Amino acid sequence: MKFAVIVFPGSNCDIDMYHAIKDELGEQVEYVWHDTESLDEFDGILLPGGFSYGDYLRTGAIARFSKVMQAVVKASEAGKPILGVCNGFQILLEAGLLPGAMRRNESLSFICKPVELKVVNNQSMFSSAYAQGETISIPVAHGEGNYYCDEETLAKLKENNQIVFTYQDNPNGSLEDIAGIINEKGNVLGMMPHPERAVDELLGGADGLKLFQSIVRSWREANVVKA
Protein backbone atom coordinates (compact mmCIF):
# COMPACT_ATOMS: atom_id res chain seq x y z
CA MET A 1 0.00 0.00 0.00
CA LYS A 2 1.30 3.45 -0.91
CA PHE A 3 0.51 6.51 1.23
CA ALA A 4 0.78 10.23 0.52
CA VAL A 5 1.59 12.65 3.35
CA ILE A 6 0.26 16.03 2.21
CA VAL A 7 2.57 18.89 3.19
CA PHE A 8 1.15 22.40 3.48
CA PRO A 9 3.18 25.50 4.34
CA GLY A 10 3.12 25.24 8.15
CA SER A 11 2.71 21.46 8.47
CA ASN A 12 4.91 20.26 11.33
CA CYS A 13 3.80 16.67 11.94
CA ASP A 14 4.57 15.45 8.43
CA ILE A 15 7.88 13.86 9.46
CA ASP A 16 6.21 12.03 12.37
CA MET A 17 3.54 10.72 9.98
CA TYR A 18 6.17 9.63 7.44
CA HIS A 19 8.13 7.80 10.18
CA ALA A 20 4.99 6.03 11.42
CA ILE A 21 4.18 4.68 7.95
CA LYS A 22 7.66 3.83 6.69
CA ASP A 23 9.51 2.69 9.82
CA GLU A 24 6.76 1.38 12.11
CA LEU A 25 4.08 0.22 9.65
CA GLY A 26 6.52 -0.88 6.93
CA GLU A 27 4.52 0.54 3.99
CA GLN A 28 5.43 2.86 1.10
CA VAL A 29 5.02 6.59 1.70
CA GLU A 30 5.92 9.88 -0.02
CA TYR A 31 5.69 13.55 0.90
CA VAL A 32 3.32 15.40 -1.46
CA TRP A 33 3.43 19.19 -1.72
CA HIS A 34 0.21 21.21 -1.46
CA ASP A 35 0.23 22.34 -5.09
CA THR A 36 0.12 18.78 -6.48
CA GLU A 37 -2.78 18.18 -8.87
CA SER A 38 -3.08 14.38 -8.80
CA LEU A 39 -3.04 11.72 -6.09
CA ASP A 40 -3.99 8.89 -8.44
CA GLU A 41 -0.81 6.89 -7.73
CA PHE A 42 -1.57 6.70 -3.98
CA ASP A 43 -3.80 4.27 -2.10
CA GLY A 44 -4.16 6.28 1.12
CA ILE A 45 -4.03 10.03 1.87
CA LEU A 46 -2.74 11.49 5.16
CA LEU A 47 -3.21 15.14 6.21
CA PRO A 48 -0.86 15.78 9.15
CA GLY A 49 -1.04 18.29 11.98
CA GLY A 50 0.61 21.68 12.17
CA PHE A 51 -0.38 25.25 11.41
CA SER A 52 -1.15 25.34 7.70
CA TYR A 53 -0.65 28.86 6.32
CA GLY A 54 -0.06 29.98 9.92
CA ASP A 55 -3.69 29.24 10.77
CA TYR A 56 -4.51 32.75 9.53
CA LEU A 57 -8.21 33.61 9.25
CA ARG A 58 -9.20 30.29 10.87
CA THR A 59 -7.56 26.87 11.29
CA GLY A 60 -7.54 25.08 7.95
CA ALA A 61 -9.51 27.87 6.24
CA ILE A 62 -6.78 28.71 3.69
CA ALA A 63 -5.40 25.19 3.23
CA ARG A 64 -8.77 23.92 2.04
CA PHE A 65 -8.28 26.04 -1.12
CA SER A 66 -4.90 24.46 -1.93
CA LYS A 67 -4.67 22.82 -5.34
CA VAL A 68 -4.12 19.38 -3.81
CA MET A 69 -7.48 19.51 -2.04
CA GLN A 70 -9.27 18.97 -5.36
CA ALA A 71 -7.33 15.72 -5.64
CA VAL A 72 -8.19 14.86 -2.01
CA VAL A 73 -11.89 15.30 -2.81
CA LYS A 74 -11.46 13.08 -5.88
CA ALA A 75 -9.73 10.42 -3.75
CA SER A 76 -12.56 10.65 -1.23
CA GLU A 77 -15.15 10.10 -3.94
CA ALA A 78 -13.13 7.09 -5.15
CA GLY A 79 -13.38 5.54 -1.68
CA LYS A 80 -9.70 5.81 -0.79
CA PRO A 81 -8.90 6.06 2.94
CA ILE A 82 -8.21 9.65 4.00
CA LEU A 83 -6.97 10.49 7.50
CA GLY A 84 -6.75 14.05 8.86
CA VAL A 85 -5.02 14.52 12.21
CA CYS A 86 -5.32 17.75 14.24
CA ASN A 87 -4.81 20.51 11.65
CA GLY A 88 -5.58 17.86 9.04
CA PHE A 89 -8.94 17.28 10.75
CA GLN A 90 -9.59 21.03 10.73
CA ILE A 91 -8.82 21.17 6.99
CA LEU A 92 -11.25 18.30 6.28
CA LEU A 93 -13.96 20.19 8.19
CA GLU A 94 -13.26 23.40 6.26
CA ALA A 95 -13.33 21.46 2.98
CA GLY A 96 -16.72 19.96 3.82
CA LEU A 97 -15.42 16.39 3.72
CA LEU A 98 -16.53 16.00 7.33
CA PRO A 99 -19.45 17.72 9.09
CA GLY A 100 -19.17 20.24 11.92
CA ALA A 101 -16.65 22.89 12.95
CA MET A 102 -13.75 23.41 15.33
CA ARG A 103 -13.66 26.02 18.10
CA ARG A 104 -11.04 27.21 20.58
CA ASN A 105 -10.45 24.91 23.53
CA GLU A 106 -12.90 25.62 26.32
CA SER A 107 -9.97 26.62 28.59
CA LEU A 108 -8.63 28.97 25.85
CA SER A 109 -5.25 27.32 26.51
CA PHE A 110 -3.05 25.14 24.31
CA ILE A 111 -3.18 21.52 25.51
CA CYS A 112 -0.29 19.07 25.04
CA LYS A 113 -0.53 15.77 26.91
CA PRO A 114 -1.49 12.09 26.56
CA VAL A 115 -5.25 11.48 26.82
CA GLU A 116 -7.35 8.36 27.07
CA LEU A 117 -9.79 7.60 24.26
CA LYS A 118 -12.61 5.11 24.02
CA VAL A 119 -13.07 3.18 20.76
CA VAL A 120 -16.83 3.53 20.25
CA ASN A 121 -16.86 2.16 16.69
CA ASN A 122 -14.42 -0.60 15.74
CA GLN A 123 -16.28 -1.38 12.50
CA SER A 124 -14.55 1.31 10.40
CA MET A 125 -11.56 0.90 8.09
CA PHE A 126 -9.58 2.99 10.61
CA SER A 127 -10.44 1.13 13.81
CA SER A 128 -10.98 -2.57 13.04
CA ALA A 129 -7.77 -3.61 14.85
CA TYR A 130 -9.15 -2.26 18.13
CA ALA A 131 -11.67 -3.97 20.39
CA GLN A 132 -15.09 -2.37 20.74
CA GLY A 133 -15.00 -0.19 23.86
CA GLU A 134 -11.20 -0.47 24.17
CA THR A 135 -9.46 2.34 26.05
CA ILE A 136 -6.30 3.63 24.35
CA SER A 137 -3.78 6.39 25.11
CA ILE A 138 -2.97 8.90 22.36
CA PRO A 139 -1.36 12.37 22.78
CA VAL A 140 -3.10 15.63 21.90
CA ALA A 141 -1.48 18.98 21.07
CA HIS A 142 -3.85 21.75 20.04
CA GLY A 143 -5.43 25.07 20.88
CA GLU A 144 -8.54 24.59 18.76
CA GLY A 145 -9.83 21.08 19.28
CA ASN A 146 -13.29 21.82 20.63
CA TYR A 147 -15.48 19.96 18.12
CA TYR A 148 -18.97 21.32 17.54
CA CYS A 149 -21.96 20.55 15.32
CA ASP A 150 -25.67 21.33 15.43
CA GLU A 151 -28.26 18.92 16.86
CA GLU A 152 -29.34 17.62 13.45
CA THR A 153 -25.75 16.79 12.48
CA LEU A 154 -25.09 15.15 15.84
CA ALA A 155 -28.16 12.98 15.43
CA LYS A 156 -26.91 11.86 12.00
CA LEU A 157 -23.43 11.11 13.38
CA LYS A 158 -24.99 8.85 16.01
CA GLU A 159 -27.51 7.27 13.64
CA ASN A 160 -24.81 6.40 11.08
CA ASN A 161 -22.26 5.27 13.70
CA GLN A 162 -19.84 7.97 12.53
CA ILE A 163 -18.32 8.72 15.95
CA VAL A 164 -15.21 6.51 16.15
CA PHE A 165 -13.31 7.86 19.19
CA THR A 166 -14.46 9.77 22.30
CA TYR A 167 -12.42 11.29 25.13
CA GLN A 168 -12.58 9.60 28.52
CA ASP A 169 -11.79 12.92 30.25
CA ASN A 170 -12.74 15.59 27.73
CA PRO A 171 -9.73 17.99 27.56
CA ASN A 172 -11.12 20.68 25.26
CA GLY A 173 -14.92 20.86 25.67
CA SER A 174 -15.79 18.89 22.52
CA LEU A 175 -19.47 18.15 22.04
CA GLU A 176 -20.40 14.71 23.40
CA ASP A 177 -16.66 14.08 24.14
CA ILE A 178 -16.06 13.59 20.40
CA ALA A 179 -12.40 13.01 19.47
CA GLY A 180 -12.75 11.51 15.99
CA ILE A 181 -15.45 11.07 13.33
CA ILE A 182 -15.80 9.51 9.89
CA ASN A 183 -17.90 10.57 6.92
CA GLU A 184 -21.10 8.72 5.98
CA LYS A 185 -19.22 6.66 3.39
CA GLY A 186 -16.73 5.60 6.07
CA ASN A 187 -13.49 6.37 4.19
CA VAL A 188 -12.61 9.79 5.69
CA LEU A 189 -11.55 10.05 9.35
CA GLY A 190 -10.73 13.24 11.22
CA MET A 191 -9.34 13.18 14.75
CA MET A 192 -7.61 15.67 17.04
CA PRO A 193 -5.32 13.19 18.93
CA HIS A 194 -2.09 12.19 17.17
CA PRO A 195 -1.87 8.43 16.45
CA GLU A 196 1.42 8.96 14.56
CA ARG A 197 3.02 9.97 17.88
CA ALA A 198 1.99 6.70 19.53
CA VAL A 199 3.49 4.01 17.31
CA ASP A 200 6.37 2.73 19.46
CA GLU A 201 6.84 2.08 23.19
CA LEU A 202 9.94 4.29 23.02
CA LEU A 203 7.56 7.18 22.29
CA GLY A 204 5.52 6.39 25.39
CA GLY A 205 3.04 4.00 23.80
CA ALA A 206 2.03 2.21 20.61
CA ASP A 207 -1.77 2.46 20.70
CA GLY A 208 -1.80 4.58 17.55
CA LEU A 209 -0.17 1.91 15.41
CA LYS A 210 -3.37 -0.17 15.34
CA LEU A 211 -5.12 2.66 13.51
CA PHE A 212 -2.66 2.48 10.63
CA GLN A 213 -2.73 -1.32 10.69
CA SER A 214 -6.51 -1.14 10.38
CA ILE A 215 -6.19 0.95 7.21
CA VAL A 216 -3.75 -1.50 5.61
CA ARG A 217 -5.85 -4.52 6.55
CA SER A 218 -8.97 -2.96 5.07
CA TRP A 219 -7.15 -1.96 1.89
CA ARG A 220 -5.68 -5.44 1.41
CA GLU A 221 -9.04 -7.12 1.97
CA ALA A 222 -10.50 -4.90 -0.76
CA ASN A 223 -7.63 -4.91 -3.25
CA VAL A 224 -5.44 -7.98 -2.98
CA VAL A 225 -6.42 -10.55 -5.59
CA LYS A 226 -6.82 -13.98 -4.05
CA ALA A 227 -5.37 -16.91 -5.94
Side-chain angles (χ1 to χ4, degrees):
M1 186 174 184
K2 187 175 181 180
F3 288 89
V5 175
I6 309 300
V7 182
F8 300 94
S11 294
N12 64 13
C13 300
D14 45 333
I15 296 176
D16 293 340
M17 193 72 83
Y18 186 97
H19 164 74
I21 301 301
K22 182 180 181 182
D23 301 321
E24 302 294 344
L25 193 64
E27 297 292 332
Q28 298 181 66
V29 58
E30 288 185 12
Y31 295 115
V32 176
W33 196 231
H34 64 102
D35 61 355
T36 300
E37 294 184 350
S38 174
L39 295 170
D40 290 349
E41 67 177 293
F42 298 99
D43 305 304
I45 316 300
L46 307 171
L47 280 66
F51 302 90
S52 57
Y53 297 91
D55 277 349
Y56 291 119
L57 297 181
R58 192 174 58 248
T59 53
I62 299 178
R64 61 90 80 222
F65 292 105
S66 296
K67 189 178 293 182
V68 75
M69 289 306 296
Q70 297 178 29
V72 173
V73 171
K74 180 182 176 183
S76 170
E77 293 171 348
K80 293 183 180 181
I82 297 172
L83 168 66
V85 172
C86 199
N87 194 226
F89 185 10
Q90 295 159 344
I91 294 169
L92 292 175
L93 292 170
E94 290 288 338
L97 290 174
L98 290 171
M102 204 63 72
R103 304 183 297 189
R104 294 282 305 276
N105 293 343
E106 204 168 51
S107 64
L108 302 183
S109 299
F110 189 90
I111 301 169
C112 183
K113 63 179 183 179
V115 299
E116 289 193 340
L117 306 179
K118 182 179 180 180
V119 181
V120 295
N121 172 9
N122 75 336
Q123 301 301 307
S124 78
M125 66 169 63
F126 303 95
S127 58
S128 61
Y130 297 106
Q132 182 71 18
E134 182 177 348
T135 298
I136 60 176
S137 179
I138 305 284
V140 295
H142 57 249
E144 298 182 40
N146 184 355
Y147 178 79
Y148 175 80
C149 64
D150 58 30
E151 292 184 2
E152 181 180 354
T153 301
L154 180 61
K156 287 184 178 178
L157 290 177
K158 291 181 177 179
E159 180 182 350
N160 298 326
N161 206 20
Q162 291 175 246
I163 301 172
V164 178
F165 301 110
T166 57
Y167 297 108
Q168 294 285 50
D169 185 12
N170 194 338
N172 50 35
S174 287
L175 183 70
E176 298 269 330
D177 301 326
I178 289 173
I181 59 172
I182 52 177
N183 61 345
E184 286 191 37
K185 196 173 181 178
N187 67 308
V188 179
L189 170 70
M191 62 188 295
M192 289 311 295
H194 289 263
E196 79 281 5
R197 296 183 183 178
V199 292
D200 191 302
E201 294 299 334
L202 286 174
L203 299 175
D207 286 347
L209 187 58
K210 286 184 179 179
L211 187 149
F212 299 107
Q213 290 171 337
S214 298
I215 298 173
V216 173
R217 183 163 71 180
S218 174
W219 180 83
R220 286 180 177 161
E221 288 175 351
N223 293 279
V224 174
V225 177
K226 297 180 181 178

